[in-house]
Amino acid sequence: MPSACAIRSSTIRRGPGLSSDAWTPYGTLAASLPAAGPGHRLAALDAPAAWLVMGAPNDAVWRADVEAALGAALPLQAGGVTTGVAARVFWLGPDRWLALDPAEPARLQSMAGAVETSDARFWLECSGQATAPALAALAGRDFGLTSFPPGTATGLRIGGTAVIVERRAGDVFVVAGPVSLAEHVAALLLRALADQPGGNPSTTAKT
């Protein structure tokens, strides 16, 4: 499970003899994260080791090998999330899963249908009582505890961007999406959170 921390960054060398600048997918919002206000907090997470796993779950031999490499069972129902000692596995479709922090990545790498995608997504943790209504406003769906309980994940669009939203606990959500659109999604989340009753507009970055 990724933990809230300073934004993962790398350096880009601008030219011979020139100093390097830190790069982050959150662009101008990097200095604003983590951002907190009444009823909400938005923080960047370290990108976990991530793998796209594709295969036939009714193939008992393949499934057993993959689950051993993951250290967690494959969820077989839409919206399902399973966990192991460290791994988390998201259902993406009847024959597709997103696996985080697998127990045996080297073993997984040797398997057909497994592709590492660790650098493909940003990860944000959004928490507090304003989070569910803010996500509902952005995505146009219900994030109540009954319809979207802890341990549930779904794919949807925020501002036209395809993301994965997981409810980790009552008021704790994780949002993941294409790293190239991290700043766009973070800005939309900050605005939606600030728009909730008691929200603080000062936490919303101006773009």
Side-chain angles (χ1 to χ4, degrees):
M1 172 179 175
S3 57
C5 68
I7 299 171
R8 188 185 188 195
S9 65
S10 60
T11 58
I12 298 176
R13 182 70 62 179
R14 295 189 179 276
L18 298 180
S19 62
S20 59
D21 295 328
W23 178 89
T24 164
Y26 301 102
T28 58
L29 293 183
S32 302
L33 297 175
H40 70 267
R41 184 176 187 274
L42 184 69
L45 302 177
D46 270 341
W51 293 77
L52 177 63
V53 177
M54 298 168 285
N58 58 347
D59 182 336
V61 174
W62 174 85
R63 182 175 166 187
D65 286 346
V66 166
E67 290 182 340
L70 295 177
L74 292 174
L76 302 179
Q77 301 297 322
V81 181
T82 56
T83 61
V85 174
R88 300 182 75 81
V89 186
F90 299 83
W91 185 93
L92 299 181
D95 58 359
R96 295 166 65 90
W97 298 265
L98 177 64
L100 308 183
D101 296 324
E104 299 182 48
R107 181 176 176 182
L108 192 62
Q109 188 173 22
S110 68
M111 296 180 178
V115 181
E116 186 176 7
T117 61
S118 300
D119 295 326
R121 294 177 182 84
F122 68 83
W123 296 82
L124 289 166
E125 183 181 85
C126 195
S127 59
Q129 63 185 12
T131 302
L135 287 171
L138 287 171
R141 64 153 292 167
D142 181 14
F143 283 95
L145 279 167
T146 300
S147 60
F148 199 73
T152 301
T154 188
L156 48 81
R157 289 187 177 274
I158 290 179
T161 301
V163 299
I164 297 170
V165 176
E166 179 195 9
R167 190 177 212 141
R168 291 276 172 91
D171 287 327
V172 181
F173 294 79
V174 171
V175 178
V179 71
S180 61
L181 293 169
E183 183 177 7
H184 172 63
V185 174
L188 291 175
L189 285 169
L190 285 171
R191 290 194 181 102
L193 289 165
D195 285 344
Q196 300 310 306
N200 183 357
S202 68
T203 63
T204 301
K206 297 178 181 179
T207 58

